[in-house]
Amino acid sequence: MSVTEMKSSLVEEIQAWKKKRNAILLAHNYQLPEIQDIADVLGDSLALARAAENTSADVIVFCGVHFMAETAAILNPEKTVLLPDLEAGCSLADSITVDQLREWKAEHPGAVVVAYVNTTAEVKAESDYCCTSSNAVEIVRSIPEDKEILFLPDMFLGSFVKNETGRENMHIWLGECHVHAGIASHQVEGMLTQHPEAELLVHPECGCSTSSMYLMSEGVLPAEKTHILSTGNMLKHSKNSHAEEFIVATEVGIIHQMQKQNPEKRFVPANPEAICPFMKRITLEKVLAALKENKHVITVPAETAERAKLAIQRMVSIG
């Protein structure tokens, strides 16, 4: 049997088991192409959280990383949430612990805590708001200006939000996603030299996002061709733009969907090595095993889930 035939057989079996268990398959934009292609819902963290909250399925198979499956479990305590690989973690979520957050809060009594969705359930439970890169600016703007804000854990997204909102009373945790942090400004500038007509799409988690904002203000990067966007908004922009070529500064997995939606356009990764090993752990074989063997069930302790749910629901409702 050829590789193509094996994949086709796996997909057929997955579809049969999904029907048998009344399951829905949610997949992040950074997943392997074959996982993206079989997803019932494909999107960024916010879109997937909304899909998880609104589904009528009995089983949610989450093709993403651990904190995403936790979020789905918090929103759906009565449903079965499966993560096909328990090793699908997140370096950004690991960059702050709940004890570190409690210490930080103690140093800033009364501050409003805004936690990026890339955090553990325990950290979300200590937060007032969750956010994603697509609504972080709106959430910070919704908080009264006299309120001190603790933004965590991504320093590049935090810097972007602070610049966009002008909030001087906003403190930023020094965490990062090792994949996005590795996309440097010199790589972006080099690609722009090679592709002068291309539009530049930058995820705000990227190490180059802060410098991109500065270089735009200095006129080094063309402001009309430079866009700092979430993955979901990158997909929308690439579809609606009249540009024929794009330099994409985020995890390279999203390019599969961009190319699929826009076969006549060209997409070039700012850093071809920007590959998240955690996102790539989930395979067709593991999705099938999850459905057949009910693994791995993700649960969150009731007290933690109850406290985290308010912050997550605020995220889902804004933007």
Side-chain angles (χ1 to χ4, degrees), residues 234-241 246 258 262 265 267:
M234 281 185 180
L235 285 166
K236 289 177 186 175
H237 181 86
S238 63
K239 199 170 185 178
N240 296 329
S241 172
F246 301 84
M258 288 176 160
N262 307 278
K265 298 179 180 180
F267 298 92

Side-chain angles (χ1 to χ4, degrees), residues 29-45:
N29 292 320
Y30 297 156
Q31 288 289 294
L32 292 168
E34 56 264 35
I35 298 297
Q36 294 187 36
D37 290 344
I38 65 166
D40 296 301
V41 180
L42 179 70
D44 58 15
S45 297

Side-chain angles (χ1 to χ4, degrees), residues 1 9 11 18 23 29 92 120 140 179 216 228 260 267 272 284:
M1 187 182 289
S9 177
V11 170
K18 273 173 50 186
N29 292 320
L92 180 54
T120 65
V140 168
V179 176
M216 275 195 291
I228 301 178
K260 191 175 178 180
F267 298 92
L284 292 174

